[in-house]
């Protein structure tokens, strides 16, 4: 799984991890039914506290993005696309794009820079 944490980034680790998992799902690198690493395994791979990973998994499960099967593990939810009504999904997407562009602007990136990076990322370039 291609999720990374930047310890130099001021963004809290749990937010970086949640965004990374959501991005992997959105880009199709993680698909419905795919099993995620265990909390301990991912924490070890990323060198972060296991409680941080557990918190993210729990929040994503409450949001309908993940489902946990006791004794088996955590999986990308097969119903994640239907977890929210279309209007709510569109509203959240619009808010996300607004935050993304504001963050990019703060870092000195243009919307064209962001679009190019998104295209490269989705095509597996990063």
């Amino acid at each position: 799984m291609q999720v990374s944490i930047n310890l130099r980034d001021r963004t809290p680790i749990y937010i970086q991890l949640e965004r990374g998992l959501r991005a992997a799902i959105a880009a199709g690198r993680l698909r419905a039914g795919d099993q995620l690493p265990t909390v301990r395994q991912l924490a070890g791979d990323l060198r972060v506290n296991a409680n941080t990973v557990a918190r993210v998994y729990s929040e994503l499960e409450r949001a309908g993005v993940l489902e946990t099967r006791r004794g088996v593990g955590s999986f990308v939810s097969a119903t994640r696309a239907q977890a929210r009504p279309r209007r709510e999904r569109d509203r959240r997407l619009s808010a996300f794009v607004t935050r993304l562009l504001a963050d990019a602007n703060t870092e000195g990136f243009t919307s064209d820079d962001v679009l190019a990076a998104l295209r490269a990322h989705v095509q597996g370039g990063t």
Side-chain angles (χ1 to χ4, degrees):
M1 177 173 39
Q2 299 175 358
V3 176
S4 61
I5 301 298
N6 180 352
L7 297 177
R8 292 186 180 142
D9 189 337
R10 287 190 192 162
T11 306
I13 291 170
Y14 78 93
I15 291 176
Q16 290 184 50
L17 179 55
E18 181 177 351
R19 286 178 182 169
L21 289 169
R22 286 182 181 270
I25 293 167
R29 292 189 310 275
L30 284 173
R31 298 177 190 269
D34 284 353
Q35 186 171 9
L36 276 68
T38 66
V39 167
R40 284 187 185 191
Q41 182 181 4
L42 187 56
D45 291 348
L46 297 175
R47 296 188 174 144
V48 300
N49 190 299
N51 291 330
T52 301
V53 177
R55 175 182 178 183
V56 170
Y57 277 19
S58 178
E59 288 181 12
L60 290 174
E61 184 175 10
R62 277 194 300 277
V65 176
L66 299 181
E67 55 188 52
T68 300
R69 300 178 200 149
R70 222 169 164 71
V72 180
S74 296
F75 298 81
V76 177
S77 176
T79 59
R80 67 181 169 78
Q82 295 123 8
R84 291 195 175 85
R86 180 80 176 162
R87 190 178 313 162
E88 171 66 8
R89 181 182 177 281
D90 290 347
R91 184 192 66 74
R92 289 179 55 89
L93 180 59
S94 178
F96 170 76
V97 170
T98 299
R99 288 190 310 272
L100 174 68
L101 292 174
D103 287 352
N105 185 47
T106 299
E107 296 294 327
F109 300 115
T110 67
S111 58
D112 288 337
D113 294 334
V114 172
L115 287 171
L118 283 170
R119 282 188 193 99
H121 192 79
V122 168
Q123 294 171 354
T126 58

